[in-house]
């Protein structure tokens, strides 16, 4: 017989409840029949309670049964519409009828009420007690037999009780043995604890003595370790110098036109892999590179940023993700100017992210503007006090997410709707309260740029490509018709006028377009985001070896001058604090180089002091360090 396989079928769920209630009703009904047969009167408490329980159970059962019956009636009208076969409908009808019949039988039995106990009738038929008085010798023998039988039963019970007593005694003896064993185990554990305490004390004493020995020997072996470290670093410096020459040769080939930008990307990819393996041997490579960053980057790094970058920065990676070899050669190639910049950090007290990656796309607007655009990146700060951007990155990301949702609903057409979003207004209020010169470096991850979509950029690039092809065709046609030695000044002038008119029109369109104007949009949290991305991807990252070597050479000079100046500074007047004394370069609290500003909230940060252990610079052989041209 076919059954419904749908576990979510309401009928099957109610059927399970009905069958469970039916089993309960059967048990209660059996108890009711038994109690009714033994009850002395219809007012017996046991009888009334049993009857009440049966009636309540049958009432609930009848309610569920009515629901089943109604569902069967509905299904019978169109069984295939509910995905059921005729046999399944017949089975359900049969279940309802069988359960209903059994409930009806129970109700009929309850309707009979109290019948009376058969014990009462038997009791009425018993003879009076006087009838059992012994009146014959046989009766006397029967009484003696019964008394003997009872004495035997009592004797058997006494023997059974004696056996139980013996068993209880055995259990008590076993419990006593277990108690003694536990006491002995407890004594052994106490002895072990005392022994462990003595051993622990001896270990602590030995560890203290070992620390003292290590502390005494640190000065002896420090110079030897420093010498070994400097020798290994010197080998690395030679490899870095050779690799830097290869980078310069590749750059020179591009400048001379021997290689295209895309071909340079392939060669540079190979060189960057070699550099990655080399700099992995150098501790604090990238923090020292950041310390020597050019002004285009240094101007965006605050003292609080320097502390994070010096102590937590592990690596920087730049990829041109739209071209080969970063994508398949058979895939559609994009712009080599699009870059992805990735910062890797060690676990720190400021944010949870170990990798911060930001993508920049090269776009062209329909009005002729070209540049990099990006999407905000959320930084998972460990609390508001740890947020160096004071909430700007979170506000920029929230506004961008809200604008995306509006763009999906309106197909990206009404930009006035985006400007009215509460997230956009909250971002603009934060930007108004911020000072551009004091923005944290990490606010750069909130940069967006112009609002130019990929579709608009693709159309604009195709239009520009067609315009250039048309110009070349026109120039070629003039050359073929007039000959190589003929010069049509009127046409050349006319062409120049057309080009100037197109440029003027482009400038007018840029003035009319909000997106292509020179002013940054009101919702831009980091106006210098594109300049910083270009400086990192085209200067700091490819020239990292050069900046690192500069840091090492400056460190060498600073050490020598510091030793000379220490003797001279003792004879100088204490008021000449503004005279320059060469030392390690530091990130200043202000962008104007004024270190004596008493109102400044932040102090200068020495990155070399942060990246070196215990405030000491790394030892090295200065004589073997090559200087790069």
């Amino acid at each position: 017989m076919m059954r419904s396989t749908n576990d979510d079928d309401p009928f099957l769920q109610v059927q399970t409840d009905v069958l469970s209630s039916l089993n309960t009703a059967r048990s209660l009904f059996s108890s009711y029949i038994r109690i009714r047969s033994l009850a002395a009167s219809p007012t017996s408490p046991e009888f009334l309670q049993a009857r009440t329980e049966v009636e309540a159970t049958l009432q609930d059962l009848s309610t569920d049964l009515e629901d089943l019956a109604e569902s069967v009636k509905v299904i019978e009208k169109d069984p295939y519409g509910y995905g059921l076969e005729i046999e399944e409908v017949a089975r359900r009808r049969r279940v309802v009828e069988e359960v209903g019949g059994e409930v009806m039988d129970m109700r009929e039995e309850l309707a009979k009420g109290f019948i009376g106990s058969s014990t009462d009738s038997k009791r009425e038929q018993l003879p009076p007690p006087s009838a059992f008085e012994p009146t014959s010798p046989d009766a006397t023998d029967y009484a003696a037999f019964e008394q003997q039988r009872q004495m035997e039963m009592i004797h058997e019970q006494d023997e059974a009780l004696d056996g139980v007593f013996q068993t209880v005694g055995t259990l008590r003896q076993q419990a006593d043995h277990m108690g003694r064993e536990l006491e002995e185990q407890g004594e052994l554990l106490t002895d072990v604890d005392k022994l462990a305490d003595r051993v622990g004390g001896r270990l602590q004493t030995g560890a203290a003595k070992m620390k003292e020995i290590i502390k005494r020997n640190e000065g002896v072996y420090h110079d030897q370790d420093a010498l070994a470290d400097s020798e290994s670093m010197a080998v690395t410096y030679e490899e870095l110098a050779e690799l830097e020459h290869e980078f310069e040769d590749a750059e020179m080939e591009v400048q001379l036109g021997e290689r295209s930008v895309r071909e340079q990307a392939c060669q540079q990819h190979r060189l960057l892999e070699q550099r990655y393996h080399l700099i992995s041997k150098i501790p604090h490579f990238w923090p020292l590179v950041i310390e020597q960053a050019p002004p285009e980057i240094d101007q965006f790094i605050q003292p609080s940023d320097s502390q994070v970058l010096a102590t937590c920065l592990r690596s920087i990676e730049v990829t041109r993700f739209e071209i080969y070899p970063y994508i398949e050669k058979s895939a559609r190639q994009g712009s080599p100017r699009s870059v992805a910049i990735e910062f890797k950090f060690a676990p720190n007290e400021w944010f949870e992210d170990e990798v911060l990656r930001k993508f920049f796309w090269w776009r062209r607007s329909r009005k002729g503007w070209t540049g990099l655009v990006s999407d905000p990146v959320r930084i998972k700060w460990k609390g508001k006090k740890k947020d160096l951007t004071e909430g700007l990155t979170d506000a920029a990301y929230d506004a961008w997410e809200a604008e995306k949702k509006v763009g999906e609903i309106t197909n990206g057409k009404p930009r006035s709707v985006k400007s009215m979003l509460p997230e956009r207004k909250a971002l603009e209020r934060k930007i108004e309260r911020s000072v551009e010169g004091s923005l944290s470096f990490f606010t750069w991850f909130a940069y967006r740029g112009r609002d130019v979509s990929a579709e608009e950029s693709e159309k604009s690039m195709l239009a520009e490509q067609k315009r250039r092809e048309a110009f070349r065709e026109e120039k070629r046609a003039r050359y073929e018709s007039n000959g190589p030695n003929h010069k049509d000044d009127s046409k050349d002038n006319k062409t120049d006028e057309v080009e100037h008119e197109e440029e003027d029109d482009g400038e007018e369109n840029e003035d009319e377009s909000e997106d292509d104007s020179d002013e940054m949009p009101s919702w831009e949290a980091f106006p210098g985001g594109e300049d910083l991305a270009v400086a990192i991807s085209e200067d700091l990252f490819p020239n990292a070896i050069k900046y690192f070597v500069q840091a090492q050479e400056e460190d060498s000079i600073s050490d020598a001058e510091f030793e000379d100046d220490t003797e001279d500074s003792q004879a100088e007047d204490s008021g000449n604090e503004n005279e320059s004394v060469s030392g390690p370069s530091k990130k200043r609290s202000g962008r104007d180089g004024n270190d004596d500003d008493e109102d400044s909230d932040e102090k200068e940060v020495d990155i070399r002091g942060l990246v070196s252990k215990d405030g000491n610079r790394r030892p090295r052989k200065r004589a073997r360090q090559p200087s790069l041209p």
Side-chain angles (χ1 to χ4, degrees):
M1 181 179 294
M2 182 176 180
R3 293 180 179 269
S4 176
T5 59
N6 188 3
D7 295 338
D8 298 332
D9 192 342
F11 180 87
L12 298 180
Q13 297 176 1
V14 177
Q15 175 185 334
T16 303
D17 297 339
V18 167
L19 295 178
S20 177
S21 300
L22 181 59
N23 291 332
T24 304
R26 288 171 179 169
S27 177
L28 294 174
F29 184 73
S30 299
S31 299
Y32 167 75
I33 295 298
R34 180 178 54 81
I35 293 173
R36 186 180 66 173
S37 63
L38 298 176
S41 66
T43 59
S44 174
E46 293 83 359
F47 172 75
L48 295 177
Q49 182 179 0
R51 182 184 179 89
T52 302
E53 291 178 353
V54 173
E55 289 178 346
T57 304
L58 292 177
Q59 182 64 32
D60 296 339
L61 188 57
S62 300
T63 303
D64 294 338
L65 193 60
E66 291 177 359
D67 295 339
L68 289 180
E70 289 295 331
S71 65
V72 170
K73 291 180 181 180
V74 174
I75 293 173
E76 285 178 343
K77 296 178 181 180
D78 185 13
Y80 295 106
Y82 294 94
L84 299 175
E85 298 293 339
I86 300 298
E87 292 80 359
E88 175 64 16
V89 176
R91 186 195 67 80
R92 296 188 178 189
R93 187 188 311 109
R94 189 162 53 255
V95 170
V96 173
E97 292 175 354
E98 292 176 356
V99 176
E102 191 169 352
V103 171
M104 186 62 66
D105 294 340
M106 292 182 186
R107 288 188 179 277
E108 291 177 356
E109 190 66 27
L110 287 175
K112 294 178 182 180
F114 179 77
I115 298 177
S117 174
S118 60
T119 307
D120 294 339
S121 60
K122 293 180 181 180
R123 190 177 301 162
E124 293 175 358
Q125 297 174 1
L126 289 175
S130 59
F132 294 96
E133 293 181 358
T135 57
S136 61
D138 296 336
T140 304
D141 295 339
Y142 177 77
F145 174 76
E146 285 293 332
Q147 185 176 3
Q148 183 181 0
R149 180 60 183 164
Q150 290 178 2
M151 292 300 292
E152 291 176 355
M153 293 175 62
I154 293 173
H155 181 69
E156 292 175 356
Q157 292 177 358
D158 290 341
E159 291 180 351
L161 290 175
D162 291 340
V164 172
F165 178 77
Q166 292 177 359
T167 304
V168 172
T170 303
L171 292 175
R172 182 177 179 179
Q173 291 178 359
Q174 293 178 355
D176 292 339
H177 289 308
M178 293 175 63
R180 286 193 294 270
E181 288 289 338
L182 290 175
E183 290 177 358
E184 293 176 359
Q185 294 291 336
E187 293 176 357
L188 292 175
L189 290 174
T190 303
D191 294 339
V192 171
D193 289 339
K194 292 179 181 179
L195 181 61
D197 292 338
R198 289 196 297 269
V199 174
R202 293 178 181 177
L203 288 175
Q204 291 179 357
T205 304
K209 292 180 179 179
M210 184 63 68
K211 288 181 180 179
E212 183 66 22
I213 294 173
I214 293 174
K215 186 176 181 180
R216 292 177 181 178
N217 293 336
E218 278 183 351
V220 176
Y221 296 104
H222 179 74
D223 296 337
Q224 297 179 3
D225 294 339
L227 181 60
D229 184 45
S230 62
E231 291 177 354
S232 62
M233 289 292 291
V235 175
T236 303
Y237 287 141
E238 294 174 359
E239 295 173 344
L240 288 177
E242 183 64 26
L243 188 60
E244 179 65 16
H245 286 303
E246 294 188 32
F247 272 103
E248 292 177 354
D249 293 341
E251 185 68 24
M252 184 62 67
E253 290 177 357
V254 174
Q255 295 178 1
L256 296 177
E258 298 177 2
R259 288 181 181 268
S260 64
V261 177
R262 297 180 186 273
E263 292 174 343
Q264 184 202 21
C266 297
Q267 183 181 11
Q268 194 178 54
H269 179 69
R270 177 183 59 81
L271 297 177
L272 290 175
E273 288 183 348
Q274 297 179 11
R275 188 182 73 178
Y276 174 80
H277 294 294
L278 287 178
I279 65 177
S280 61
K281 306 175 185 177
I282 304 175
H284 312 296
F285 175 86
W286 286 106
L288 291 174
V289 173
I290 291 292
E291 191 261 344
Q292 287 293 321
E296 293 82 4
I297 299 175
D298 182 74
Q299 63 176 331
F300 296 109
I301 300 179
Q302 303 295 337
S304 56
D305 303 327
S306 298
Q307 187 175 5
V308 179
L309 296 173
T311 58
C312 308
L313 180 62
R314 285 181 171 176
S315 66
I316 301 176
E317 189 71 25
V318 176
T319 57
R320 302 190 181 274
F321 59 92
E322 287 190 343
I323 62 173
Y324 178 79
Y326 300 100
I327 62 174
E328 295 294 334
K329 200 168 186 179
S330 59
R332 180 181 180 184
Q333 304 291 308
S335 173
R337 299 174 181 175
S338 299
V339 295
I341 303 177
E342 177 183 281
F343 289 79
K344 291 184 179 180
F345 295 91
N348 57 80
E349 60 177 294
W350 290 276
F351 45 81
E352 300 177 2
D353 306 272
E354 294 186 3
V355 177
L356 292 176
R357 184 184 297 106
K358 190 168 180 65
F359 290 87
F360 292 86
W361 292 271
W362 177 264
R363 298 281 170 82
R364 173 185 289 272
S365 71
R366 61 179 180 275
K367 299 295 184 179
W369 175 87
T370 56
L372 295 175
V373 301
S374 181
D375 293 337
V377 177
R378 182 183 292 278
I379 302 177
K380 299 177 182 178
W381 299 101
K382 295 181 178 179
K384 292 184 179 180
K385 293 183 179 180
K386 299 296 183 180
D387 186 354
L388 303 180
T389 67
E390 299 180 351
L392 267 176
T393 53
D394 290 341
Y397 188 86
D398 293 339
W400 176 68
E401 284 284 346
E403 292 174 17
K404 281 203 308 182
K405 295 178 180 178
V406 172
E408 293 174 358
I409 297 174
T410 61
N411 199 18
K413 293 182 179 179
R415 295 184 178 178
S416 59
V417 177
K418 297 182 180 179
S419 62
M420 299 301 293
L421 292 173
E423 292 85 357
R424 169 75 74 82
K425 291 185 176 296
L427 173 60
E428 292 177 352
R429 288 194 296 269
K430 280 187 173 294
I431 294 174
E432 291 175 358
R433 291 195 296 267
S434 64
V435 180
E436 182 176 351
S438 62
L439 290 176
S440 168
F441 170 82
F442 291 92
T443 313
W444 174 66
F445 289 94
Y447 170 76
R448 292 178 56 183
R450 303 296 195 274
D451 190 6
V452 181
S453 63
E455 293 78 6
E456 178 183 347
S457 178
E458 185 175 1
K459 293 179 181 179
S460 302
M461 289 182 179
L462 290 175
E464 177 66 15
Q465 183 178 0
K466 291 180 180 179
R467 187 189 67 80
R468 292 179 179 179
E469 290 178 355
F471 177 76
R472 286 193 293 267
E473 288 293 334
E474 180 182 357
K475 188 176 181 180
R476 187 183 300 109
R478 291 201 308 268
Y479 178 83
E480 293 176 352
S481 60
N482 299 326
N485 298 325
H486 179 75
K487 182 177 179 181
D488 191 348
D489 295 337
S490 62
K491 290 185 179 181
D492 290 340
N493 294 335
K494 191 173 183 180
T495 302
D496 295 338
E497 292 175 0
V498 172
E499 292 178 358
H500 286 300
E501 287 177 2
E502 289 178 355
E503 293 177 358
D504 295 337
D505 291 341
E507 294 176 358
E508 293 176 2
N509 292 335
E510 290 177 359
D511 295 337
E512 294 174 359
S513 174
E514 177 183 356
D515 294 336
D516 300 335
S517 62
D518 293 336
E519 297 181 359
M520 295 299 295
S522 59
W523 37 262
E524 180 54 63
F526 200 88
E530 181 179 3
D531 297 335
L532 180 56
V534 172
I536 293 175
S537 61
E538 298 185 5
D539 186 2
L540 183 73
F541 182 73
N543 299 320
I545 297 177
K546 179 182 68 177
Y547 290 117
F548 175 75
V549 173
Q550 288 178 2
Q552 301 303 308
E553 293 176 346
E554 180 178 323
D555 198 3
S556 303
I557 298 173
S558 299
D559 288 340
E561 292 184 356
F562 180 76
E563 293 172 359
D564 296 339
D565 294 339
T566 301
E567 299 176 358
D568 298 338
S569 61
Q570 296 177 355
E572 293 179 354
D573 185 69
S574 59
N576 298 332
E577 296 178 355
N578 294 329
E579 294 184 5
S580 63
V581 178
S582 299
S585 63
K586 302 177 181 179
K587 302 298 178 183
R588 304 298 182 181
S589 59
R591 295 304 180 194
D592 53 357
N594 186 9
D595 297 334
D596 298 330
D597 188 1
E598 297 180 356
D599 297 334
S600 176
D601 295 334
E602 299 188 53
K603 298 179 180 180
E604 61 187 21
V605 178
D606 186 353
I607 289 185
R608 283 207 193 92
L610 290 174
V611 302
S612 61
K613 296 181 180 179
D614 301 329
N616 298 324
R617 296 187 179 91
R618 297 176 311 285
R620 57 189 175 277
K621 277 189 176 180
R622 296 190 180 97
R624 296 185 63 182
Q625 292 179 5
S627 60
L628 302 184

